[in-house]
mmCIF file with all atom_site columns, all heavy atoms in Angstrom:
data_model
loop_
_atom_site.group_PDB
_atom_site.id
_atom_site.type_symbol
_atom_site.label_atom_id
_atom_site.label_alt_id
_atom_site.label_comp_id
_atom_site.label_asym_id
_atom_site.label_entity_id
_atom_site.label_seq_id
_atom_site.pdbx_PDB_ins_code
_atom_site.Cartn_x
_atom_site.Cartn_y
_atom_site.Cartn_z
_atom_site.occupancy
_atom_site.B_iso_or_equiv
_atom_site.pdbx_formal_charge
_atom_site.auth_seq_id
_atom_site.auth_comp_id
_atom_site.auth_asym_id
_atom_site.auth_atom_id
_atom_site.pdbx_PDB_model_num
ATOM 1   N N   . LYS A 1 1  ? -2.238 -22.424 30.061 1.00 0.00 ? 1  LYS A N   1
ATOM 2   C CA  . LYS A 1 1  ? -3.376 -21.467 30.077 1.00 0.00 ? 1  LYS A CA  1
ATOM 3   C C   . LYS A 1 1  ? -2.946 -20.111 30.630 1.00 0.00 ? 1  LYS A C   1
ATOM 4   O O   . LYS A 1 1  ? -3.394 -19.029 30.149 1.00 0.00 ? 1  LYS A O   1
ATOM 5   C CB  . LYS A 1 1  ? -4.507 -22.048 30.926 1.00 0.00 ? 1  LYS A CB  1
ATOM 6   C CG  . LYS A 1 1  ? -5.181 -23.222 30.358 1.00 0.00 ? 1  LYS A CG  1
ATOM 7   C CD  . LYS A 1 1  ? -6.273 -23.832 31.277 1.00 0.00 ? 1  LYS A CD  1
ATOM 8   C CE  . LYS A 1 1  ? -7.005 -24.977 30.696 1.00 0.00 ? 1  LYS A CE  1
ATOM 9   N NZ  . LYS A 1 1  ? -8.030 -25.515 31.607 1.00 0.00 ? 1  LYS A NZ  1
ATOM 10  N N   . LEU A 1 2  ? -2.006 -20.181 31.654 1.00 0.00 ? 2  LEU A N   1
ATOM 11  C CA  . LEU A 1 2  ? -1.565 -18.890 32.206 1.00 0.00 ? 2  LEU A CA  1
ATOM 12  C C   . LEU A 1 2  ? -0.721 -18.111 31.194 1.00 0.00 ? 2  LEU A C   1
ATOM 13  O O   . LEU A 1 2  ? -0.820 -16.947 31.055 1.00 0.00 ? 2  LEU A O   1
ATOM 14  C CB  . LEU A 1 2  ? -0.649 -19.188 33.423 1.00 0.00 ? 2  LEU A CB  1
ATOM 15  C CG  . LEU A 1 2  ? -0.198 -17.971 34.229 1.00 0.00 ? 2  LEU A CG  1
ATOM 16  C CD1 . LEU A 1 2  ? -1.422 -17.282 34.879 1.00 0.00 ? 2  LEU A CD1 1
ATOM 17  C CD2 . LEU A 1 2  ? 0.863  -18.389 35.299 1.00 0.00 ? 2  LEU A CD2 1
ATOM 18  N N   . GLY A 1 3  ? 0.050  -18.862 30.423 1.00 0.00 ? 3  GLY A N   1
ATOM 19  C CA  . GLY A 1 3  ? 0.846  -18.200 29.334 1.00 0.00 ? 3  GLY A CA  1
ATOM 20  C C   . GLY A 1 3  ? -0.095 -17.574 28.327 1.00 0.00 ? 3  GLY A C   1
ATOM 21  O O   . GLY A 1 3  ? 0.179  -16.464 27.819 1.00 0.00 ? 3  GLY A O   1
ATOM 22  N N   . ARG A 1 4  ? -1.220 -18.215 27.986 1.00 0.00 ? 4  ARG A N   1
ATOM 23  C CA  . ARG A 1 4  ? -2.123 -17.701 27.031 1.00 0.00 ? 4  ARG A CA  1
ATOM 24  C C   . ARG A 1 4  ? -2.923 -16.501 27.533 1.00 0.00 ? 4  ARG A C   1
ATOM 25  O O   . ARG A 1 4  ? -3.409 -15.701 26.737 1.00 0.00 ? 4  ARG A O   1
ATOM 26  C CB  . ARG A 1 4  ? -3.155 -18.806 26.538 1.00 0.00 ? 4  ARG A CB  1
ATOM 27  C CG  . ARG A 1 4  ? -2.560 -19.906 25.725 1.00 0.00 ? 4  ARG A CG  1
ATOM 28  C CD  . ARG A 1 4  ? -3.530 -20.737 25.071 1.00 0.00 ? 4  ARG A CD  1
ATOM 29  N NE  . ARG A 1 4  ? -4.286 -21.598 25.980 1.00 0.00 ? 4  ARG A NE  1
ATOM 30  C CZ  . ARG A 1 4  ? -3.910 -22.841 26.248 1.00 0.00 ? 4  ARG A CZ  1
ATOM 31  N NH1 . ARG A 1 4  ? -2.835 -23.441 25.620 1.00 0.00 ? 4  ARG A NH1 1
ATOM 32  N NH2 . ARG A 1 4  ? -4.659 -23.629 27.083 1.00 0.00 ? 4  ARG A NH2 1
ATOM 33  N N   . SER A 1 5  ? -2.934 -16.359 28.868 1.00 0.00 ? 5  SER A N   1
ATOM 34  C CA  . SER A 1 5  ? -3.680 -15.277 29.460 1.00 0.00 ? 5  SER A CA  1
ATOM 35  C C   . SER A 1 5  ? -2.834 -13.913 29.447 1.00 0.00 ? 5  SER A C   1
ATOM 36  O O   . SER A 1 5  ? -3.449 -12.893 29.515 1.00 0.00 ? 5  SER A O   1
ATOM 37  C CB  . SER A 1 5  ? -4.078 -15.592 30.955 1.00 0.00 ? 5  SER A CB  1
ATOM 38  O OG  . SER A 1 5  ? -2.828 -15.460 31.777 1.00 0.00 ? 5  SER A OG  1
ATOM 39  N N   . LEU A 1 6  ? -1.589 -14.074 29.259 1.00 0.00 ? 6  LEU A N   1
ATOM 40  C CA  . LEU A 1 6  ? -0.672 -12.926 29.369 1.00 0.00 ? 6  LEU A CA  1
ATOM 41  C C   . LEU A 1 6  ? -0.977 -11.853 28.308 1.00 0.00 ? 6  LEU A C   1
ATOM 42  O O   . LEU A 1 6  ? -0.949 -12.178 27.091 1.00 0.00 ? 6  LEU A O   1
ATOM 43  C CB  . LEU A 1 6  ? 0.798  -13.361 29.349 1.00 0.00 ? 6  LEU A CB  1
ATOM 44  C CG  . LEU A 1 6  ? 1.817  -12.203 29.485 1.00 0.00 ? 6  LEU A CG  1
ATOM 45  C CD1 . LEU A 1 6  ? 1.700  -11.584 30.845 1.00 0.00 ? 6  LEU A CD1 1
ATOM 46  C CD2 . LEU A 1 6  ? 3.158  -12.675 29.210 1.00 0.00 ? 6  LEU A CD2 1
ATOM 47  N N   . MET A 1 7  ? -1.153 -10.618 28.785 1.00 0.00 ? 7  MET A N   1
ATOM 48  C CA  . MET A 1 7  ? -1.297 -9.570  27.891 1.00 0.00 ? 7  MET A CA  1
ATOM 49  C C   . MET A 1 7  ? -0.096 -8.651  27.884 1.00 0.00 ? 7  MET A C   1
ATOM 50  O O   . MET A 1 7  ? 0.420  -8.238  26.885 1.00 0.00 ? 7  MET A O   1
ATOM 51  C CB  . MET A 1 7  ? -2.567 -8.745  28.103 1.00 0.00 ? 7  MET A CB  1
ATOM 52  C CG  . MET A 1 7  ? -2.738 -7.509  27.303 1.00 0.00 ? 7  MET A CG  1
ATOM 53  S SD  . MET A 1 7  ? -4.146 -6.519  27.866 1.00 0.00 ? 7  MET A SD  1
ATOM 54  C CE  . MET A 1 7  ? -4.018 -5.091  26.831 1.00 0.00 ? 7  MET A CE  1
ATOM 55  N N   . VAL A 1 8  ? 0.373  -8.497  29.065 1.00 0.00 ? 8  VAL A N   1
ATOM 56  C CA  . VAL A 1 8  ? 1.475  -7.470  29.215 1.00 0.00 ? 8  VAL A CA  1
ATOM 57  C C   . VAL A 1 8  ? 2.139  -7.832  30.610 1.00 0.00 ? 8  VAL A C   1
ATOM 58  O O   . VAL A 1 8  ? 1.578  -8.319  31.494 1.00 0.00 ? 8  VAL A O   1
ATOM 59  C CB  . VAL A 1 8  ? 0.965  -5.989  29.119 1.00 0.00 ? 8  VAL A CB  1
ATOM 60  C CG1 . VAL A 1 8  ? 0.130  -5.702  30.340 1.00 0.00 ? 8  VAL A CG1 1
ATOM 61  C CG2 . VAL A 1 8  ? 2.191  -5.009  29.051 1.00 0.00 ? 8  VAL A CG2 1
ATOM 62  N N   . ASP A 1 9  ? 3.500  -7.367  30.667 1.00 0.00 ? 9  ASP A N   1
ATOM 63  C CA  . ASP A 1 9  ? 4.103  -7.486  31.893 1.00 0.00 ? 9  ASP A CA  1
ATOM 64  C C   . ASP A 1 9  ? 4.590  -6.101  32.286 1.00 0.00 ? 9  ASP A C   1
ATOM 65  O O   . ASP A 1 9  ? 5.387  -5.490  31.652 1.00 0.00 ? 9  ASP A O   1
ATOM 66  C CB  . ASP A 1 9  ? 5.398  -8.368  31.706 1.00 0.00 ? 9  ASP A CB  1
ATOM 67  C CG  . ASP A 1 9  ? 6.306  -8.296  32.930 1.00 0.00 ? 9  ASP A CG  1
ATOM 68  O OD1 . ASP A 1 9  ? 5.899  -8.056  33.994 1.00 0.00 ? 9  ASP A OD1 1
ATOM 69  O OD2 . ASP A 1 9  ? 7.574  -8.401  32.660 1.00 0.00 ? 9  ASP A OD2 1
ATOM 70  N N   . MET A 1 10 ? 4.039  -5.566  33.398 1.00 0.00 ? 10 MET A N   1
ATOM 71  C CA  . MET A 1 10 ? 4.331  -4.249  33.812 1.00 0.00 ? 10 MET A CA  1
ATOM 72  C C   . MET A 1 10 ? 4.715  -4.303  35.361 1.00 0.00 ? 10 MET A C   1
ATOM 73  O O   . MET A 1 10 ? 4.319  -5.228  36.037 1.00 0.00 ? 10 MET A O   1
ATOM 74  C CB  . MET A 1 10 ? 3.243  -3.257  33.661 1.00 0.00 ? 10 MET A CB  1
ATOM 75  C CG  . MET A 1 10 ? 2.788  -2.888  32.301 1.00 0.00 ? 10 MET A CG  1
ATOM 76  S SD  . MET A 1 10 ? 1.435  -1.745  32.269 1.00 0.00 ? 10 MET A SD  1
ATOM 77  C CE  . MET A 1 10 ? 1.191  -1.512  30.557 1.00 0.00 ? 10 MET A CE  1
ATOM 78  N N   . HIS A 1 11 ? 5.467  -3.276  35.778 1.00 0.00 ? 11 HIS A N   1
ATOM 79  C CA  . HIS A 1 11 ? 5.718  -3.181  37.264 1.00 0.00 ? 11 HIS A CA  1
ATOM 80  C C   . HIS A 1 11 ? 4.366  -2.800  37.910 1.00 0.00 ? 11 HIS A C   1
ATOM 81  O O   . HIS A 1 11 ? 3.604  -2.006  37.333 1.00 0.00 ? 11 HIS A O   1
ATOM 82  C CB  . HIS A 1 11 ? 6.677  -1.969  37.423 1.00 0.00 ? 11 HIS A CB  1
ATOM 83  C CG  . HIS A 1 11 ? 7.244  -1.956  38.892 1.00 0.00 ? 11 HIS A CG  1
ATOM 84  N ND1 . HIS A 1 11 ? 6.514  -1.336  39.820 1.00 0.00 ? 11 HIS A ND1 1
ATOM 85  C CD2 . HIS A 1 11 ? 8.296  -2.518  39.410 1.00 0.00 ? 11 HIS A CD2 1
ATOM 86  C CE1 . HIS A 1 11 ? 7.246  -1.461  40.948 1.00 0.00 ? 11 HIS A CE1 1
ATOM 87  N NE2 . HIS A 1 11 ? 8.293  -2.252  40.756 1.00 0.00 ? 11 HIS A NE2 1
ATOM 88  N N   . PRO A 1 12 ? 4.099  -3.462  39.075 1.00 0.00 ? 12 PRO A N   1
ATOM 89  C CA  . PRO A 1 12 ? 2.847  -3.219  39.733 1.00 0.00 ? 12 PRO A CA  1
ATOM 90  C C   . PRO A 1 12 ? 2.490  -1.715  39.959 1.00 0.00 ? 12 PRO A C   1
ATOM 91  O O   . PRO A 1 12 ? 1.312  -1.350  39.904 1.00 0.00 ? 12 PRO A O   1
ATOM 92  C CB  . PRO A 1 12 ? 2.998  -3.938  41.104 1.00 0.00 ? 12 PRO A CB  1
ATOM 93  C CG  . PRO A 1 12 ? 3.990  -4.993  40.717 1.00 0.00 ? 12 PRO A CG  1
ATOM 94  C CD  . PRO A 1 12 ? 4.955  -4.428  39.740 1.00 0.00 ? 12 PRO A CD  1
ATOM 95  N N   . SER A 1 13 ? 3.572  -0.918  40.244 1.00 0.00 ? 13 SER A N   1
ATOM 96  C CA  . SER A 1 13 ? 3.243  0.506   40.471 1.00 0.00 ? 13 SER A CA  1
ATOM 97  C C   . SER A 1 13 ? 2.619  1.163   39.219 1.00 0.00 ? 13 SER A C   1
ATOM 98  O O   . SER A 1 13 ? 1.899  2.132   39.318 1.00 0.00 ? 13 SER A O   1
ATOM 99  C CB  . SER A 1 13 ? 4.497  1.225   40.911 1.00 0.00 ? 13 SER A CB  1
ATOM 100 O OG  . SER A 1 13 ? 5.446  1.235   39.884 1.00 0.00 ? 13 SER A OG  1
ATOM 101 N N   . GLN A 1 14 ? 2.950  0.625   38.081 1.00 0.00 ? 14 GLN A N   1
ATOM 102 C CA  . GLN A 1 14 ? 2.382  1.087   36.818 1.00 0.00 ? 14 GLN A CA  1
ATOM 103 C C   . GLN A 1 14 ? 1.041  0.542   36.558 1.00 0.00 ? 14 GLN A C   1
ATOM 104 O O   . GLN A 1 14 ? 0.152  1.243   36.047 1.00 0.00 ? 14 GLN A O   1
ATOM 105 C CB  . GLN A 1 14 ? 3.378  0.735   35.612 1.00 0.00 ? 14 GLN A CB  1
ATOM 106 C CG  . GLN A 1 14 ? 4.688  1.464   35.626 1.00 0.00 ? 14 GLN A CG  1
ATOM 107 C CD  . GLN A 1 14 ? 4.516  2.951   35.673 1.00 0.00 ? 14 GLN A CD  1
ATOM 108 O OE1 . GLN A 1 14 ? 4.111  3.543   34.588 1.00 0.00 ? 14 GLN A OE1 1
ATOM 109 N NE2 . GLN A 1 14 ? 4.861  3.634   36.756 1.00 0.00 ? 14 GLN A NE2 1
ATOM 110 N N   . MET A 1 15 ? 0.821  -0.636  36.963 1.00 0.00 ? 15 MET A N   1
ATOM 111 C CA  . MET A 1 15 ? -0.471 -1.293  36.680 1.00 0.00 ? 15 MET A CA  1
ATOM 112 C C   . MET A 1 15 ? -1.632 -0.670  37.573 1.00 0.00 ? 15 MET A C   1
ATOM 113 O O   . MET A 1 15 ? -2.761 -0.665  37.120 1.00 0.00 ? 15 MET A O   1
ATOM 114 C CB  . MET A 1 15 ? -0.428 -2.823  36.983 1.00 0.00 ? 15 MET A CB  1
ATOM 115 C CG  . MET A 1 15 ? 0.552  -3.549  36.107 1.00 0.00 ? 15 MET A CG  1
ATOM 116 S SD  . MET A 1 15 ? 0.306  -3.123  34.339 1.00 0.00 ? 15 MET A SD  1
ATOM 117 C CE  . MET A 1 15 ? -1.476 -3.386  34.109 1.00 0.00 ? 15 MET A CE  1
ATOM 118 N N   . VAL A 1 16 ? -1.189 -0.165  38.702 1.00 0.00 ? 16 VAL A N   1
ATOM 119 C CA  . VAL A 1 16 ? -2.203 0.529   39.542 1.00 0.00 ? 16 VAL A CA  1
ATOM 120 C C   . VAL A 1 16 ? -2.834 1.689   38.802 1.00 0.00 ? 16 VAL A C   1
ATOM 121 O O   . VAL A 1 16 ? -3.996 2.066   38.963 1.00 0.00 ? 16 VAL A O   1
ATOM 122 C CB  . VAL A 1 16 ? -1.564 0.948   40.851 1.00 0.00 ? 16 VAL A CB  1
ATOM 123 C CG1 . VAL A 1 16 ? -2.526 1.903   41.672 1.00 0.00 ? 16 VAL A CG1 1
ATOM 124 C CG2 . VAL A 1 16 ? -1.219 -0.277  41.692 1.00 0.00 ? 16 VAL A CG2 1
ATOM 125 N N   . LYS A 1 17 ? -2.104 2.333   37.965 1.00 0.00 ? 17 LYS A N   1
ATOM 126 C CA  . LYS A 1 17 ? -2.488 3.554   37.168 1.00 0.00 ? 17 LYS A CA  1
ATOM 127 C C   . LYS A 1 17 ? -2.700 3.151   35.661 1.00 0.00 ? 17 LYS A C   1
ATOM 128 O O   . LYS A 1 17 ? -2.885 4.059   34.920 1.00 0.00 ? 17 LYS A O   1
ATOM 129 C CB  . LYS A 1 17 ? -1.401 4.608   37.160 1.00 0.00 ? 17 LYS A CB  1
ATOM 130 C CG  . LYS A 1 17 ? -1.039 5.024   38.666 1.00 0.00 ? 17 LYS A CG  1
ATOM 131 C CD  . LYS A 1 17 ? 0.092  6.021   38.685 1.00 0.00 ? 17 LYS A CD  1
ATOM 132 C CE  . LYS A 1 17 ? 0.453  6.383   40.105 1.00 0.00 ? 17 LYS A CE  1
ATOM 133 N NZ  . LYS A 1 17 ? 1.663  7.279   40.151 1.00 0.00 ? 17 LYS A NZ  1
ATOM 134 N N   . SER A 1 18 ? -2.765 1.896   35.350 1.00 0.00 ? 18 SER A N   1
ATOM 135 C CA  . SER A 1 18 ? -2.855 1.534   33.943 1.00 0.00 ? 18 SER A CA  1
ATOM 136 C C   . SER A 1 18 ? -4.264 1.909   33.259 1.00 0.00 ? 18 SER A C   1
ATOM 137 O O   . SER A 1 18 ? -4.257 2.162   32.093 1.00 0.00 ? 18 SER A O   1
ATOM 138 C CB  . SER A 1 18 ? -2.701 -0.034  33.827 1.00 0.00 ? 18 SER A CB  1
ATOM 139 O OG  . SER A 1 18 ? -3.773 -0.674  34.473 1.00 0.00 ? 18 SER A OG  1
ATOM 140 N N   . HIS A 1 19 ? -5.212 2.164   34.117 1.00 0.00 ? 19 HIS A N   1
ATOM 141 C CA  . HIS A 1 19 ? -6.510 2.614   33.559 1.00 0.00 ? 19 HIS A CA  1
ATOM 142 C C   . HIS A 1 19 ? -6.447 3.937   32.967 1.00 0.00 ? 19 HIS A C   1
ATOM 143 O O   . HIS A 1 19 ? -7.385 4.342   32.135 1.00 0.00 ? 19 HIS A O   1
ATOM 144 C CB  . HIS A 1 19 ? -7.603 2.541   34.611 1.00 0.00 ? 19 HIS A CB  1
ATOM 145 C CG  . HIS A 1 19 ? -7.337 3.440   35.813 1.00 0.00 ? 19 HIS A CG  1
ATOM 146 N ND1 . HIS A 1 19 ? -6.406 3.204   36.773 1.00 0.00 ? 19 HIS A ND1 1
ATOM 147 C CD2 . HIS A 1 19 ? -7.930 4.607   36.209 1.00 0.00 ? 19 HIS A CD2 1
ATOM 148 C CE1 . HIS A 1 19 ? -6.407 4.122   37.587 1.00 0.00 ? 19 HIS A CE1 1
ATOM 149 N NE2 . HIS A 1 19 ? -7.341 5.001   37.296 1.00 0.00 ? 19 HIS A NE2 1
ATOM 150 N N   . LYS A 1 20 ? -5.385 4.779   33.309 1.00 0.00 ? 20 LYS A N   1
ATOM 151 C CA  . LYS A 1 20 ? -5.263 6.093   32.827 1.00 0.00 ? 20 LYS A CA  1
ATOM 152 C C   . LYS A 1 20 ? -4.452 6.100   31.509 1.00 0.00 ? 20 LYS A C   1
ATOM 153 O O   . LYS A 1 20 ? -4.342 7.168   30.821 1.00 0.00 ? 20 LYS A O   1
ATOM 154 C CB  . LYS A 1 20 ? -4.568 6.993   33.878 1.00 0.00 ? 20 LYS A CB  1
ATOM 155 C CG  . LYS A 1 20 ? -5.391 7.092   35.185 1.00 0.00 ? 20 LYS A CG  1
ATOM 156 C CD  . LYS A 1 20 ? -4.613 7.990   36.137 1.00 0.00 ? 20 LYS A CD  1
ATOM 157 C CE  . LYS A 1 20 ? -5.355 8.126   37.433 1.00 0.00 ? 20 LYS A CE  1
ATOM 158 N NZ  . LYS A 1 20 ? -4.667 8.955   38.449 1.00 0.00 ? 20 LYS A NZ  1
ATOM 159 N N   . LYS A 1 21 ? -3.856 5.014   31.175 1.00 0.00 ? 21 LYS A N   1
ATOM 160 C CA  . LYS A 1 21 ? -2.926 4.990   29.986 1.00 0.00 ? 21 LYS A CA  1
ATOM 161 C C   . LYS A 1 21 ? -3.735 4.828   28.711 1.00 0.00 ? 21 LYS A C   1
ATOM 162 O O   . LYS A 1 21 ? -4.868 4.188   28.701 1.00 0.00 ? 21 LYS A O   1
ATOM 163 C CB  . LYS A 1 21 ? -1.947 3.848   30.101 1.00 0.00 ? 21 LYS A CB  1
ATOM 164 C CG  . LYS A 1 21 ? -0.969 4.094   31.346 1.00 0.00 ? 21 LYS A CG  1
ATOM 165 C CD  . LYS A 1 21 ? 0.073  3.018   31.384 1.00 0.00 ? 21 LYS A CD  1
ATOM 166 C CE  . LYS A 1 21 ? 0.940  3.278   32.592 1.00 0.00 ? 21 LYS A CE  1
ATOM 167 N NZ  . LYS A 1 21 ? 1.798  4.455   32.433 1.00 0.00 ? 21 LYS A NZ  1
ATOM 168 N N   . GLN A 1 22 ? -3.137 5.219   27.637 1.00 0.00 ? 22 GLN A N   1
ATOM 169 C CA  . GLN A 1 22 ? -3.805 5.029   26.353 1.00 0.00 ? 22 GLN A CA  1
ATOM 170 C C   . GLN A 1 22 ? -3.411 3.606   25.765 1.00 0.00 ? 22 GLN A C   1
ATOM 171 O O   . GLN A 1 22 ? -2.388 3.057   26.178 1.00 0.00 ? 22 GLN A O   1
ATOM 172 C CB  . GLN A 1 22 ? -3.228 6.058   25.314 1.00 0.00 ? 22 GLN A CB  1
ATOM 173 C CG  . GLN A 1 22 ? -3.642 7.501   25.758 1.00 0.00 ? 22 GLN A CG  1
ATOM 174 C CD  . GLN A 1 22 ? -5.147 7.711   25.744 1.00 0.00 ? 22 GLN A CD  1
ATOM 175 O OE1 . GLN A 1 22 ? -5.856 7.326   24.902 1.00 0.00 ? 22 GLN A OE1 1
ATOM 176 N NE2 . GLN A 1 22 ? -5.567 8.431   26.767 1.00 0.00 ? 22 GLN A NE2 1
ATOM 177 N N   . GLY A 1 23 ? -4.248 3.197   24.810 1.00 0.00 ? 23 GLY A N   1
ATOM 178 C CA  . GLY A 1 23 ? -3.888 1.864   24.241 1.00 0.00 ? 23 GLY A CA  1
ATOM 179 C C   . GLY A 1 23 ? -4.484 0.701   25.037 1.00 0.00 ? 23 GLY A C   1
ATOM 180 O O   . GLY A 1 23 ? -5.314 0.862   25.969 1.00 0.00 ? 23 GLY A O   1
ATOM 181 N N   . ALA A 1 24 ? -3.970 -0.520  24.643 1.00 0.00 ? 24 ALA A N   1
ATOM 182 C CA  . ALA A 1 24 ? -4.499 -1.747  25.306 1.00 0.00 ? 24 ALA A CA  1
ATOM 183 C C   . ALA A 1 24 ? -4.161 -1.741  26.706 1.00 0.00 ? 24 ALA A C   1
ATOM 184 O O   . ALA A 1 24 ? -3.047 -1.346  27.158 1.00 0.00 ? 24 ALA A O   1
ATOM 185 C CB  . ALA A 1 24 ? -3.826 -2.928  24.675 1.00 0.00 ? 24 ALA A CB  1
ATOM 186 N N   . ARG A 1 25 ? -5.133 -2.212  27.617 1.00 0.00 ? 25 ARG A N   1
ATOM 187 C CA  . ARG A 1 25 ? -4.966 -2.130  29.053 1.00 0.00 ? 25 ARG A CA  1
ATOM 188 C C   . ARG A 1 25 ? -5.399 -3.577  29.511 1.00 0.00 ? 25 ARG A C   1
ATOM 189 O O   . ARG A 1 25 ? -6.493 -4.065  29.121 1.00 0.00 ? 25 ARG A O   1
ATOM 190 C CB  . ARG A 1 25 ? -5.733 -1.101  29.699 1.00 0.00 ? 25 ARG A CB  1
ATOM 191 C CG  . ARG A 1 25 ? -5.269 0.361   29.424 1.00 0.00 ? 25 ARG A CG  1
ATOM 192 C CD  . ARG A 1 25 ? -6.161 1.331   30.102 1.00 0.00 ? 25 ARG A CD  1
ATOM 193 N NE  . ARG A 1 25 ? -7.456 1.453   29.479 1.00 0.00 ? 25 ARG A NE  1
ATOM 194 C CZ  . ARG A 1 25 ? -7.753 2.337   28.554 1.00 0.00 ? 25 ARG A CZ  1
ATOM 195 N NH1 . ARG A 1 25 ? -6.902 3.204   28.195 1.00 0.00 ? 25 ARG A NH1 1
ATOM 196 N NH2 . ARG A 1 25 ? -9.058 2.379   28.015 1.00 0.00 ? 25 ARG A NH2 1
#
């Protein structure tokens, strides 16, 4: 189930700002 949940693997410092990025978040 955890594997099925995965959308993306990013560095945490990037994920904190991911709401500002274009495309799928």
Side-chain angles (χ1 to χ4, degrees):
K1 291 178 179 178
L2 187 67
R4 291 194 287 267
S5 77
L6 181 65
M7 174 182 177
V8 68
D9 167 33
M10 292 183 182
H11 190 275
S13 63
Q14 292 302 294
M15 294 315 306
V16 170
K17 303 175 183 177
S18 64
H19 62 288
K20 298 179 181 179
K21 297 182 180 295
Q22 298 297 316
R25 294 179 289 263

